[in-house]
Amino acid sequence: MKRNAVNELIEWKEQKCPVPFLLAGTKGVGKTYLAIEFALAYYPQYLYVNFELNAVAEQFFCDKILSGLSVSETIAQYFGLDETILSELIVILDEVSFCPPLFKSLAHCGSFPIIAISGLLPPPKMLEHFHVCRLFPLRFDEFLCAVGNDWYVDIIQGHFLASKPVPDIVHQELLALFEEYLVVGGMPAAVNEYISSKSVYNVGEVHCMIKNRMRAVMDAVYDEKETGKAVQIMEVLPEQLKRENKKFRFNLIRKGVTYALYRDSLLALERSGMILRLNKQEKDTHFKLYLPDVGMLSSAFAGEETDEIRKALLENYVMQTLLAGENYRLSFWESKAQAKVDFILEKDGYETPVELRLSKGGRGKSIASYRAAKNCREETLYYCFGFENFYSTSVSRQIPYYAVFCLE
């Protein structure tokens, strides 16, 4: 499966790999596959070790690093190579969070090409010493390429740039594929199942296996207490998203539970990519939580269909798509009178409100409330994401859901 992130790896290689490349993302998003495919395509040889699956390697690296050996010396000893050879190949260190001494030492190692793969993001100070790439599930454009419909991507991008409707027959085909994507999602294993079976019937089982693998990482990295609280959050998340008010409420776990009690567990889930968090503007103690993949959320609803579930799926899809683009600071907005704007896209000091529509039309009352509260100029643009074709007015731009990936 072709991933957009390969372009970032190529750019890193062309810069002569000044720092290690950190490929981060939750379980099942395809980090290892991407790293190995890149290594095969651009290097004569690669070395690979997985610290989650290889306890002997984990112990060897921990002991050597703690005894004072450098990263290059340790790698050379482990593989039985001369240290000078390392500059001629690439080293892939998988699940480095399972070997903390090595992970910390990597921050000061940039003498040869290293791809470090981790299901957990390290603390912000460590990130400064890596070329960081967060890998997310396949976006809709990547999904189209995976299922053999890559020609649609150029059509979508061209009509997005021109803000002109695509031919109706193509529009209907894309909407049908988008509906499939909402069920399958972008986890590579689920997409592979969809391709091989030519149906969506078994993808729920794949999603369940991915969820269990995520849980295993939590069990291995965090203590039992924090893991237990993290699991509680994950279990009530779909139930929360069924509600009209989708802000996360801790009293769904049990009465009397507070944000402070679960703050560290939330941070752990965010670092592991197991949840996506959307804060309310100017108030980060009020937030919505989503799963990393819309297909996994669809499976969690087990076939239930209501307007609120439909809205939750669309919100989850937009959230993961815009996060993968990494071009906007995202939040949502509410007025005291309960007017709600689903997403605020902030970039270069400008804010663009976004309205998500379940059906055609809509009067945008909440957008009007937002514009009044923010004293927006009359020409200030806002986006409508919906199932209608591309069109624009003097102040709004209708973007089909299947084209959200174009907002870069």
Side-chain angles (χ1 to χ4, degrees), residues 48-62 78-79 94-95 98-99:
Y48 175 85
V49 60
N50 186 311
F51 296 104
E52 179 187 9
L53 302 178
N54 190 335
V56 173
E58 185 268 332
Q59 191 63 55
F60 180 91
F61 275 76
C62 281
Y78 180 78
F79 288 101
D94 207 343
E95 293 297 352
F98 284 78
C99 187

Side-chain angles (χ1 to χ4, degrees), residues 79-139:
F79 288 101
L81 299 171
D82 188 296
E83 192 177 341
T84 58
I85 296 177
L86 295 180
S87 61
E88 301 173 8
L89 42 77
I90 186 167
V91 180
I92 301 173
L93 303 174
D94 207 343
E95 293 297 352
V96 288
S97 58
F98 284 78
C99 187
L102 172 62
F103 205 174
K104 291 179 182 177
S105 298
L106 282 176
H108 307 286
C109 179
S111 57
F112 58 95
I114 295 178
I115 298 178
I117 300 173
S118 177
L120 301 174
L121 275 175
K125 286 186 178 180
M126 280 184 64
L127 293 177
E128 298 172 1
H129 303 283
F130 290 93
H131 183 121
V132 182
C133 174
R134 291 181 66 191
L135 193 64
F136 293 87
L138 278 74
R139 299 189 317 185

